[in-house]
Structures are given as structure tokens and as C-alpha cells.
Amino acid sequence: MTKSEETNQRASGRVETYSPPPWAKDAHTPSFAEYQKRWQESINDPEKFWGKLASELVWDKDYDKVLEWNRPFAKWFTGGKLNASVQCLDKFQDTETFDKTALIWIGEPGERREITYRQLHEEVNQFAAGLKELGYQKGDRVAIYLPMIPELVVATLACARIGAIHTVIFAGFSADSIRDRVEDSGATLVITSDGAWRRGSKILLKNIVDDALGQIDSVKNVVVVQRNTENLEEFTHSMTPDRDTYYTKVISTGPATCEPESMDSEDPLFILYTSGTTGKPKGIYHTHAGYLLGTMISTREVFDLKSNDVFWCTADVGWITGHSYIIYGPMQNGVTQVMYEGAPNFPNPDRFWEIVAAEKVSIFYTAPTAIRAFMKWGDNWPQKHDLSSLRLLGTVGEPINPEAWRWYHKTIGAERCPIVDTWWQTETGTISLTPLPGATTTKPGSATFPFYGIDAVILDEAGEELQTGQGLLAIRKPWPAMMRGIWGDEQRYRDTYWSKWGGKYYFPGDGAFRDDDGYFWIVGRVDDVVNTSGHRIGTAELESAFVEHETVTEAAVIGIPHEIKGEGLVGFVTLRDGNEPSEELAVELRAWIGEKIGSFAKPERVIFAADLPKTRSGKIMRRLLRDVATGKALGDVTTLADPGVMNELREQYQDD
Ligand code: PRX
């Protein structure tokens, strides 16, 4: 099928459908009628719906009210008290789950560790007690910059245990990005490791943290996990006296148990930075009870978790997917999970399939960009392995093209496993549009229907509701795991998410359409946010990083379709007088972005432009840059200050 045929097919919603599997009758939501009934209940009477489910949380003190909705601020389970680490660990103390494997951890070089809930509980207690000895307490902000190792789970849950607010920084971020996040959150403690493995290379994380903290005095301590206990010299680093201490030391200094802090339902649990339309990342924060309930219930329903499942979410804990569907959701359900440190193609492109077969993974949750890469690497890699343990597949992070969906269904799922294409965001906290595997007939490329409690609609620009057709996705009512705000910037929360239609709807920033059967299809971001390899990047962030380079006076960054990454980044750059465009400078500028933000944000290409196309009011016309970069015919340029600029740009791009 050609690209345009595929696009037309998607646009009409007329694609082939896939019925729920034979085991649907045993699923948590066993039929579409049941889904519709429950969903309607959740919308008609959210207080009753969520109030009933909230009895599954372990409360120190019962809540007074399920929901206080003071648009755009929601409070859930007000007056209640609980602790997140208790929900994930202590809760299982007198059950069989306590001795069940919580994590099967696999290091990139091949190490394997099994950790039970009991062992995790012990280590979380010890580390939490050690953090208290160091002087940390409820409300303190703790930055965590760790690779995908078990100590990352321990560190987040230990923070939760003492009531400290964690802010996990993806270990691919640069020193500058760490500094921004530490400063904005006001973190006084950083937890990191000496190093990590990625695609066979050593990454010296502690050195990056040292660079970041060079200019910050507010951080009192840095706790360092030694990644490779066999060879402590592996990752060279230095320790700053009176500030830095090793994880093992912190663990051993505290008592063996640490009483969990009783937290208010609405106390912040964590801050997670994500990109927006300005140069400054936003610190999205989530609170306790609503987030915990939302992640627990959505994990159970969407992935239809059963006690014997082996769950593997391949995301990094540095992103929201890892927070919700590695830590809080799965752990509250007492499931066994695989946690893998490294790259999907190291040492070979079948690393994931080798792990699925060896660990008998039954539920596998990954991103479209990974699926497209697997397609490209060839069917022989998955075919080498016995993938018959799989019963359910999931995808998240960006729209999945039907072709990749079908490949995933056939080659990985052997046409046996339903696929849940889950749409959600850092801000929504939990999966928001999704099939339920036992209930929903799926269509490749569609995230299908709203999850319980999500009152999703499609609106046009004017706020008119569309029953079918294309518009903007919006959510009408509050849901338990929704973000509570942007750290330190209440106004930005109102402006970004609630101002578009007079405060009546939450605006996620995505374009979407509904087909004649009522299925939702996400088209992509409608703001200046690009989803590259499932990573969300604000083009303004890259632009401000570009202009920090001494040779650059102006920059415009756009996303263009990319075969594997979904979207790739292209930077159009205007140089200061006295600087000449060159291949070397383009290489240097790409490296500069890697240094300023992180390697994952490096643009595919840097294009030098004598001038950028602008409207008369001086706004850069990204649409035209996109047309140039994708080789499309020029659109309407009559509003350009200097239409000649575009022709010149196009020529340069083609010569490049
Ligand atoms: O554009 C949507 C896209 O990812 C954005 C959210 O990014 P982030 O906060 O980093 O969270 C990613 C993981 C939850 C959304 O605004 N997105 C996410 N999932 C999907 C998606 N687009 C289409 N289909 C999805 N399943």
C-alpha cells in the first residue's frame, strides 16, 4: 500500500478490525458492553465510581470527599492520608506476593538479578532510613539521575516513603538539562550512579552530575550508586568531600526500618519535567492518592494483569511511562516485571526477543519507534526465538502507523495477541485513550476509546463539539491521575492547558479525529512539540540552545516525518556575520545540541539559512520550513517578509 492510500484509509477509519482474543471472557473488562456500562458510570458519577475503587488503597486515614473540582484545579480524596511505598510494598507483607519476584533485572552486559517484593521492601526501608539520617524529610525535592538499575526503583520508593518529592531526570540528559531541573525544582539532594552501559559504551553519569552541579550551591548531598560492584574502578569518577557519599554507605548507616510518612492525598509525589512550547521545560507535578489509584487501576484493566503475568514495559523510568507503568502501576498490582538496562540492539537486534523468550514475558509494552526499528532489522531476529509466552502487546508514545501495527501483530504477536495502543501524556498521568483487551475490537492505528473516567471529545477551534471528523482532542472532566500543576508556575498551568476554550476543557495539544464508529485517532501534536523516537522535545528548547552557540544568531527547528523515529528534527540556522557555513560547523552544532540537551535531541540535519521566512509581525513560518524540508511545493508565501528567502532555502536544502 502506498503512503497516501494508507493515509486515506486511516482518515476514513475504514481499516480491517481485530476482535478481542478467546480469553476475553476472563479479562477484567470482559466485553464491550461491560466497558461501555462502566465508562458511562465513571463519567456520570465519578465520585461513586472512583470512591468504590479507592477502598483498594491502604489508607492511614480515610478521606472526607472523593472530588473537589475547582476548575481547573482538582483535588481527589481530600482529607485522606496514605503512603505510596506502602501501596507498592508493605501492602503485600502478609500475602504470598511478598516473596514473589518483583523485578527481574537484566544489565546490558548480561548480569541478571531477581529481587522479591520482600527484598525491595527491605532495601527501600534501609535507604529511606539512611536518607533521613542524612537530614532529608517530607517535602524536600530529590533529583534522581540513574540508569535503569534496581536502585532507581529503590530510590524513588524511598523518597516516597519519607515524603520527599522525587524528580527523575532521564539519564540521557546533559549537564545543562540536569542543572535546569535541579534549580527549578529546588532539589537539595541528587542520587546518581558512577556510570551506566549503553550500547556497549560506558556513560560516566557522576561526571555529568559534577559538571551540572559546578555552578549550584543549593545541593547539599550527592549519593552515588556504584553500578558495577565487581569492578569498582570501571567507571572513573571523583567524590567531593562533605557532599558526596556512596549508596551502600547510606544504606548501612540507617536503621533497618523506616516508618512511612503519612502523606496527604494531595501532597506532591513527584515532579517530572517535560517539554512545551517555550524554551523552558515544565515541571509537571502529580500528587498521591489520585495518581496511585489511577495507575493501579489502569495497569490492571489495560494490561489485564493476572497474578502469573510477567510484565515488561521497555520505557525508561526517566519518562512518565516508566513512572506509571514500571513503578507505581505494576508494583501496586504485585506483578513480576522485567527491567532491562540497555539498548534493544545490543549486542544484536534480537536482544529484546531473547529476553522475552528467556523470561517468559507475557505482556510487552513498547514504543512505535522501536517497532519500526525492529521491522527494519528484519523478521529473522524475532523468528529465532520462542515468543509463545506473549499474550498481550502494547504501544505508547506517538501515533503508530497501521503498517507497523500489523507487523507487530503478526510477527511478534503471532496474530494471537491483542494490541493496546495507549494514548496519554506526562500530564494525564495514566493511560487515557486505549482499547481494553477483552472488550475492544481494534483498528490498526487507532487508540480507540477513552479509559474509565476520561471524558474525551473532539472540538473544533471554536470549541464546537464534533461527533465525527478532525479537530482537537479535549477532555471535559477531571480524572484522578491528572496533573495538579506546573511546579512553581500556576499561571502557566492555566494558560497552557485550560485557556483554549475559556477554561471549559483540558487541552492536551494533540490533533485527533473520530471516525464513523466513534473511534479516536490521534494525528499528532498541533503545537511546537516534536515526538522523536517517542521522546517529546519542544522545538523552542532546541532553538534557544542553538542561539547559545557563538556562531548562531537565529534558529528555527521543525519536525519532519522520519521512517524510524516517527519525526526527525531539522534545524534551520542563521549564522552571525563573520561565520561561514561548513560541514564541520554543522557537525559541531549537532554535537552542541547533544551537549546542551542530550544526544537524543540532536537534529538529523542542520541547514544554514541566510535568513528565515517570517510573517510581517516577525513570527517564523515553520509551515514553510516544513514544506521545504519535506520537498513539498511552496504554500502561500504572500505573508512572508521576504518571499525570496524560501527559494533560496529550498535550493540549499536540495544541494545539501
Ligand atoms: O502527542 C501525544 C504522544 O505523546 C505525547 C505525550 O508525550 P509524553 O508526555 O512524553 O508522554 C509519552 C508517553 C505517555 C502526546 O501528547 N502520544 C503518546 N501516546 C500516543 C501518542 N500519540 C499517538 N498515539 C499514542 N498512543
Side-chain angles (χ1 to χ4, degrees), residues 69 71-72 455-466 472-479 482 493-508:
W69 180 219
R71 209 178 280 269
D455 194 5
V457 287
I458 308 277
L459 302 179
D460 65 13
E461 276 290 337
E464 211 52 54
E465 206 175 302
L466 308 176
L472 301 167
L473 185 64
I475 305 177
R476 201 159 21 194
K477 286 192 168 164
W479 62 100
M482 70 191 272
Y493 168 68
R494 288 177 186 275
D495 293 348
T496 311
Y497 303 104
W498 292 93
S499 67
K500 190 158 182 67
W501 297 287
K504 282 210 268 197
Y505 298 87
Y506 168 80
F507 174 48

Side-chain angles (χ1 to χ4, degrees), residues 28 49-50 53-54 56 291-304 325 329 332-333 430 436 451-452:
H28 289 288
F49 184 88
W50 294 109
L53 290 168
E56 293 186 42
Y291 176 80
L292 289 168
L293 185 63
T295 49
M296 176 167 71
I297 301 301
S298 59
T299 309
R300 187 165 74 199
E301 292 288 333
V302 175
F303 300 106
D304 188 46
Y325 298 106
Q332 286 189 89
N333 282 286
T430 45
L436 295 182
F451 184 62
Y452 299 137

Side-chain angles (χ1 to χ4, degrees), residues 522-565:
I522 303 296
V523 179
R525 302 288 307 191
V526 293
D527 51 11
D528 294 323
V529 170
V530 175
N531 249 313
T532 181
S533 297
H535 300 320
R536 175 168 157 184
I537 297 168
T539 51
E541 258 174 86
L542 266 82
E543 287 159 9
S544 56
F546 267 125
V547 296
E548 279 178 48
H549 192 270
E550 56 183 11
T551 61
V552 177
T553 175
E554 195 170 34
V557 175
I558 53 157
I560 59 161
H562 186 282
E563 195 193 346
I564 303 290
K565 299 180 173 184

Side-chain angles (χ1 to χ4, degrees), residues 252-565:
S252 61
T253 53
T257 55
C258 173
E259 268 308 299
E261 191 72 36
S262 205
M263 303 300 287
D264 195 277
S265 292
E266 282 296 329
D267 279 333
L269 172 62
F270 65 84
I271 308 170
L272 185 60
Y273 284 84
T274 190
S275 296
T277 50
T278 71
K280 191 173 168 321
K282 303 176 277 197
I284 306 297
Y285 75 88
H286 286 278
T287 55
H288 279 72
Y291 176 80
L292 289 168
L293 185 63
T295 49
M296 176 167 71
I297 301 301
S298 59
T299 309
R300 187 165 74 199
E301 292 288 333
V302 175
F303 300 106
D304 188 46
L305 274 194
K306 300 284 161 56
S307 59
N308 57 351
D309 272 316
V310 177
F311 182 77
W312 185 14
C313 165
T314 69
D316 194 290
V317 171
W319 310 106
I320 191 68
T321 308
H323 281 62
S324 299
Y325 298 106
I326 293 178
I327 299 190
Y328 294 106
M331 298 206 58
Q332 286 189 89
N333 282 286
V335 73
T336 297
Q337 296 190 76
V338 167
M339 181 180 188
Y340 169 56
E341 177 188 29
N345 56 350
F346 188 86
N348 290 307
D350 60 346
R351 188 67 191 269
F352 275 13
W353 316 125
E354 188 183 278
I355 295 173
V356 167
E359 308 301 345
K360 304 219 170 349
V361 171
S362 56
I363 304 171
F364 180 73
Y365 189 34
T366 196
T369 184
I371 298 167
R372 288 189 294 265
F374 296 136
M375 279 173 80
K376 187 164 164 230
W377 294 332
D379 292 7
N380 57 322
W381 293 108
Q383 278 162 1
K384 275 171 56 180
H385 300 277
D386 174 8
L387 305 182
S388 61
S389 57
L390 290 171
R391 72 175 185 99
L392 177 63
L393 303 173
T395 129
V396 59
E398 51 179 308
I400 181 163
N401 46 313
E403 199 190 339
W405 195 104
R406 291 186 192 105
W407 181 88
Y408 196 30
H409 187 255
K410 185 160 182 267
T411 314
I412 305 305
E415 298 179 350
R416 182 187 70 239
C417 306
I419 296 179
V420 289
D421 173 1
T422 63
W423 175 90
W424 59 294
Q425 311 179 293
T426 307
E427 293 89 338
T428 67
T430 45
I431 290 171
S432 306
L433 296 177
T434 181
L436 295 182
T440 316
T441 294
T442 51
K443 295 185 182 189
S446 166
T448 73
F449 298 101
F451 184 62
Y452 299 137
I454 302 292
D455 194 5
V457 287
I458 308 277
L459 302 179
D460 65 13
E461 276 290 337
E464 211 52 54
E465 206 175 302
L466 308 176
Q467 293 310 319
T468 57
Q470 181 136 349
L472 301 167
L473 185 64
I475 305 177
R476 201 159 21 194
K477 286 192 168 164
W479 62 100
M482 70 191 272
M483 70 187 291
R484 297 300 194 264
I486 295 177
W487 190 253
D489 200 344
E490 189 183 301
Q491 194 55 40
R492 194 173 172 197
Y493 168 68
R494 288 177 186 275
D495 293 348
T496 311
Y497 303 104
W498 292 93
S499 67
K500 190 158 182 67
W501 297 287
K504 282 210 268 197
Y505 298 87
Y506 168 80
F507 174 48
D510 279 287
F513 68 91
R514 254 183 125 166
D515 68 21
D516 295 343
D517 302 323
Y519 281 66
F520 284 84
W521 297 72
I522 303 296
V523 179
R525 302 288 307 191
V526 293
D527 51 11
D528 294 323
V529 170
V530 175
N531 249 313
T532 181
S533 297
H535 300 320
R536 175 168 157 184
I537 297 168
T539 51
E541 258 174 86
L542 266 82
E543 287 159 9
S544 56
F546 267 125
V547 296
E548 279 178 48
H549 192 270
E550 56 183 11
T551 61
V552 177
T553 175
E554 195 170 34
V557 175
I558 53 157
I560 59 161
H562 186 282
E563 195 193 346
I564 303 290
K565 299 180 173 184

